Amino acid sequence: MSAPHLPDWRPSSTPSWGAQDLSRLRQSQLRKVSAMPADYGAVIEEVESGWVGAIISVEASGGVHVVSLEDRRGKVRSFPLGHGFLYEGEPVELTPPTPRAAAPKPTRTASGSVAVSNAPARVARASRIWVEGTHDAELVEKVWGEDLRIEGIVVEPLHGADDLLGAIRAFGPGPQRRVGVLLDHLVPGSKESRIAREVMQQQGAKGNIAVLGHPYVDVWQAVKPQLLGLTRWPDIPRSQDIKIGTLQALGWPHANQRDIAHGWKRILAQVNSYADLEPALLGRVEELIDFVTVEP
C-alpha cells in the first residue's frame, strides 16, 4: 500500500512562526506612537522587560518622571515616563497624567454662609424674627434672605417697638414658637433698653424670647459709611428725625416720605454682602437666627 500523500509545504520568505527578531519588530512598532496620559488604573506593558501592570502613581525622581506599574500579584516596578510602552497592544508615549480639576470653591451667600444649590425653601416655622421697621426688614432680607428661606424663618417688621410687650403677649411664644427681636439703639438708658427689660421679665420669656439690638439710632447707620464716600455718618441732633437729618446732611432730597424711601433705596443698593455692614449688627442677627432655628 502506498504512503498517504502529504501536502507539500515550504517556509515562506517571511515566516509568521518561530523565532523572530523581536527588538526589530518592536522598534518598527514604536515608530508610530501616540501620546497617552499616564492616568491612574490604566494597564500598561513596558516593552523592554515585558512587565505588565496598572499605573498606580507618577512621581518625580532624580529630575525625571517615573511611572509605577503594579502587576496582578501586587508587585510593583517603576520605569521612566516616555517611550517604550504598549497600551492594548499599541505603542504609546506615556506623558504626565491628566491634571485633576480643582474642587470648585464653595459659593457663599450674601451673609457669608456656604450656599446650598437648588435647596427648596423650607415651610415656614412658627418661630419669628421681629425687627422695628421696613428698612430693617429689607436689610436683613438682602443679606440673610437666602439663609432664612432655607431655614424657614419669616422676618416681620413691628413698625415701632413701643407696643412690643403687647405683640409678645398676642403671639404667645413657647418652645416650638420662639420670638427673636432686633431693636435699634439698644444701649443703657434708652427707651429700647427699658422695653427689652420689661419683655424679658415676663413669665416664660427665658428660652422662648430673645431681645437683642445694635447701638445705632437707626439701622441706616449699620451700613458702613465708606460705601457712600463718608468717613462716618453725620451726627443728627436728637430733636430732629434721624432719617430726614441724614438725607439733609448728605445733600439728598429730604422733603417727604417719598424722599426718605428713595434715600434708603440708594443706601441699600450699596450693600452686597455682610462685609458691607457693621459687626455690631452682624453678630446680633446671627444670634437671633441661631436662637429661632435651634431645636428644643
Side-chain angles (χ1 to χ4, degrees):
M1 185 172 74
S2 61
H5 178 73
L6 298 176
D8 186 22
W9 59 268
R10 294 187 180 89
S12 65
S13 58
T14 56
S16 59
W17 55 273
Q20 301 180 52
D21 186 349
L22 296 181
S23 63
R24 181 179 300 172
L25 174 61
R26 287 169 178 157
Q27 287 173 1
S28 66
Q29 289 175 324
L30 292 174
R31 291 193 187 100
K32 298 178 180 179
V33 298
S34 57
M36 174 182 169
D39 290 338
Y40 180 87
V43 177
I44 300 295
E45 176 184 354
E46 200 276 327
V47 173
E48 194 66 29
S49 65
W51 185 270
V52 178
I55 297 174
I56 59 172
S57 67
V58 176
E59 300 174 345
S61 177
V64 298
H65 282 89
V66 174
V67 59
S68 296
L69 306 179
E70 181 180 27
D71 71 4
R72 60 187 179 87
R73 299 179 182 85
K75 295 183 179 181
V76 178
R77 288 187 60 178
S78 298
F79 306 93
L81 207 64
H83 293 279
F85 298 94
L86 298 178
Y87 176 68
E88 297 184 349
E90 297 296 327
V92 294
E93 175 192 1
L94 288 183
T95 60
T98 306
R100 294 183 181 181
K105 294 182 179 180
T107 56
R108 300 277 175 175
T109 66
S111 70
S113 302
V114 175
V116 181
S117 300
N118 302 318
R122 180 172 175 168
V123 175
R125 300 174 187 251
S127 299
R128 293 288 186 269
I129 290 178
W130 291 347
V131 295
E132 284 205 42
T134 302
H135 295 177
D136 308 70
E138 290 175 345
L139 184 60
V140 170
E141 162 61 27
K142 185 160 188 180
V143 176
W144 287 274
E146 189 172 344
D147 308 60
L148 293 168
R149 280 185 286 278
I150 290 175
E151 294 291 348
I153 298 299
V154 175
V155 176
E156 298 175 338
L158 290 167
H159 304 296
D162 291 343
D163 194 31
L164 176 59
L165 188 57
I168 290 287
R169 289 170 176 165
F171 185 78
Q176 304 289 339
R177 190 177 172 82
R178 294 181 171 184
V179 176
V181 184
L182 180 71
L183 295 181
D184 298 338
H185 202 222
L186 190 59
V187 296
S190 68
K191 174 188 71 174
E192 289 78 7
S193 65
R194 176 183 55 78
I195 293 173
R197 185 168 57 253
E198 291 175 353
V199 168
M200 295 309 298
Q201 288 173 347
Q202 298 300 300
Q203 185 176 1
K206 186 176 181 180
N208 300 320
I209 304 171
V211 181
L212 302 177
H214 55 75
Y216 311 111
V217 176
D218 191 276
V219 76
W220 289 21
Q221 296 173 324
V223 177
K224 290 184 175 178
Q226 292 80 9
L227 298 177
L228 302 172
L230 306 172
T231 56
R232 54 175 293 177
W233 284 98
D235 293 320
I236 308 301
R238 299 190 66 175
S239 59
Q240 186 178 18
D241 180 272
I242 188 169
K243 291 182 173 68
I244 293 176
T246 299
L247 294 175
Q248 186 176 14
L250 293 174
W252 296 358
H254 56 278
N256 50 43
Q257 191 60 39
R258 177 178 293 182
D259 290 339
I260 292 175
H262 287 170
W264 168 240
K265 295 300 183 185
R266 290 178 65 178
I267 296 170
L268 186 62
Q270 303 305 312
V271 176
N272 295 304
S273 76
Y274 71 97
D276 297 326
L277 303 180
E278 297 289 357
L281 174 68
L282 292 174
R284 304 299 78 76
V285 175
E286 295 286 351
E287 288 180 58
L288 290 176
I289 293 174
D290 290 344
F291 177 75
V292 297
T293 55
V294 68
E295 299 295 338

